[in-house]
Amino acid sequence: MAVELKTIQHLCELSKLDYDEEGMKKVMGEMSDIIDLMDEIKDFDLTYDDTKDGNEIRFGDTREDVSEESFPTDKLLSNAENTEGCYVVPKVVE
C-alpha cells in the first residue's frame, strides 16, 4: 500500500514536523514499508495457546482457599491519635 504525499504533508502538519521535498519522499517510503509490514503480520495466526508455553496451572496445584482471622482493629489503632475509627497518616502532598 502506497502512502500519498498529501497524507504525509498532513501528518507533518499535525506533528509540527518541517521536511523538505526530499525528506517527505523518504518518510513516504518508510511509512509505506511500515504499512506493508503490518499487512504481512495480519496474515500470521497469533492466537495464544497456553498449553504450548509450559505455564499452565493445574487445578490441583492451587492452594485451598481458607479464611483466617484478621488482626483486631482495636489493637491496630491502639497507638494512633484521634482515630475515630480511622487510620491517621502523615501528610504527603503540601
Side-chain angles (χ1 to χ4, degrees):
M1 176 181 181
V3 179
E4 297 176 2
L5 186 60
K6 185 178 179 180
T7 305
I8 297 299
Q9 289 170 338
H10 181 66
L11 290 173
C12 287
E13 185 179 319
L14 289 174
S15 58
K16 296 184 171 127
L17 296 174
D18 188 23
Y19 287 115
D20 58 354
E21 191 70 29
E22 185 178 319
M24 281 200 194
K25 287 183 180 179
K26 181 180 176 187
V27 170
M28 185 170 61
E30 291 172 351
M31 292 283 266
S32 293
D33 290 344
I34 291 170
I35 292 172
D36 291 340
L37 179 65
M38 293 300 116
D39 286 340
E40 255 183 71
I41 289 175
K42 282 195 271 185
D43 295 337
F44 289 103
D45 181 24
L46 299 175
T47 54
Y48 177 69
D49 186 4
D50 61 343
T51 61
K52 291 185 179 179
D53 64 3
N55 289 330
E56 68 268 0
I57 297 174
R58 293 179 185 85
F59 185 71
D61 295 342
T62 59
R63 66 172 173 81
E64 186 178 342
D65 191 15
V66 179
S67 65
E68 297 176 358
E69 192 72 29
S70 81
F71 209 78
T73 306
D74 295 334
K75 189 164 186 167
L76 288 173
L77 295 174
S78 64
N79 292 330
E81 298 176 15
N82 301 326
T83 59
E84 297 178 17
C86 299
Y87 295 100
V88 180
V89 295
K91 187 176 182 179
V92 178
V93 179
E94 293 183 35

